[in-house]
Amino acid sequence: AAGVIQSPRHLIKEKRETATLKCYPIPRHDTVYWYQQGPGQDPQFLISFYEKMQSDKGSIPDRFSAQQFSDYHSELNMSSLELGDSALYFCASSSLSGITDTQYFGPGTRLTVL
Amino acid sequence: DAKTTQPTSMDCAEGRAANLPCNHSTISGNEYVYWYRQIHSQGPQYIIHGLKNNETNEMASLIITEDRKSSTLILPHATLRDTAVYYCIVSEDSSYKLIFGSGTRLLVRP
């Protein structure tokens, strides 16, 4: 079965640079979620979108922004990167209008800020 | 903050059942219990969820106490590939953000 796709899988950036992470949800899923997992920590919710509108917001820094496009894929834009932004970033998707609304996670993007 | 309490770590022998407990004493009537696991930095993997009744699927069984204040995830025949961090999450709806606690680190021994 098709899964959530994230790209790139690995990304290395310098401090103060920008980064863009992409998420392609499972086909026919209309909701996307972003989570951040720092080294040795548990995943933390950042932000979610339903039908291209922001549906919830967690502890997402102001330097980060995200959006969901008409094809339901989502992008997380991160500016003025800091060393502390080094983490795994997971995207999950679900279908609020489908049979199940269970969240399914992608493999993640590992961001390293030098 | 997470609404659940889980043991920090557990271990079991390969081929035996692994029983992972979770306390959620403040769960409200419309909240579900979800279980996910994360195998070494991979994306969290959905296992099972339930509201009141016990649930079973191809991966595991979920036993929820009658007062719904605790639950147990059962992996009937643990394998080495089941070694992972298991998260018990209480949520009104999976469409809401998932709040991960510390989880239980399960080690399956050969």
Side-chain angles (χ1 to χ4, degrees):
Chain A
V4 176
I5 297 173
Q6 292 188 246
S7 69
R9 294 294 309 278
H10 302 271
L11 190 59
I12 299 175
K13 290 287 185 178
E14 300 277 345
K15 281 194 308 182
R16 292 180 288 279
E17 286 190 323
T18 62
T20 297
L21 279 55
K22 297 184 178 182
C23 169
Y24 298 88
I26 292 171
R28 291 183 294 281
H29 279 196
D30 49 25
T31 307
V32 170
Y33 314 78
W34 287 96
Y35 293 83
Q36 178 192 56
Q37 186 173 27
Q41 297 180 0
D42 304 300
Q44 285 204 344
F45 172 76
L46 291 178
I47 196 167
S48 63
F49 292 86
Y50 167 65
E51 285 289 346
K52 293 154 282 183
M53 299 289 290
Q54 180 181 308
S55 53
D56 198 359
K57 191 173 181 180
S59 50
I60 182 170
D62 292 340
R63 300 177 288 107
F64 293 8
S65 65
Q67 58 181 326
Q68 185 180 33
F69 295 86
S70 58
D71 64 351
Y72 296 106
H73 94 272
S74 177
E75 295 183 2
L76 177 65
N77 298 294
M78 311 160 70
S79 63
S80 302
L81 287 170
E82 302 174 357
L83 296 179
D85 296 328
S86 295
L88 278 166
Y89 290 84
F90 293 107
C91 172
S93 73
S94 69
S95 172
L96 292 191
S97 54
I99 297 174
T100 175
D101 55 12
T102 301
Q103 289 186 39
Y104 294 92
F105 285 76
T109 293
R110 182 178 294 278
L111 172 66
T112 302
V113 181
L114 302 176
Chain B
D1 290 339
K3 300 180 181 180
T4 62
T5 304
Q6 300 177 249
T8 302
S9 63
M10 296 182 63
D11 67 83
C12 74
E14 187 178 19
R16 303 298 294 269
N19 298 292
L20 289 82
C22 178
N23 286 322
H24 32 79
S25 58
T26 61
I27 192 171
S28 61
N30 58 348
E31 287 184 313
Y32 289 78
V33 179
Y34 290 87
W35 283 84
Y36 282 79
R37 72 180 183 185
Q38 186 174 30
I39 299 172
H40 189 55
S41 297
Q42 297 179 19
Q45 178 187 22
Y46 166 79
I47 302 173
I48 198 168
H49 74 282
L51 182 64
K52 296 180 182 178
N53 301 321
N54 298 336
E55 302 287 344
T56 295
N57 62 21
E58 64 279 3
M59 289 183 67
S61 295
L62 174 60
I63 308 298
I64 302 174
T65 58
E66 193 168 343
D67 63 7
R68 304 210 320 124
K69 293 185 177 181
S70 66
S71 61
T72 301
L73 178 74
I74 301 173
L75 306 179
H77 305 287
T79 71
L80 299 180
R81 288 176 293 182
D82 292 322
T83 291
V85 177
Y86 287 76
Y87 294 99
C88 170
I89 300 170
V90 166
S91 178
E92 186 173 322
D93 193 302
S94 185
S95 62
Y96 297 163
K97 61 190 175 188
L98 296 177
I99 299 176
F100 290 81
S102 300
T104 295
R105 188 171 299 275
L106 175 69
L107 173 65
V108 180
R109 296 177 278 103

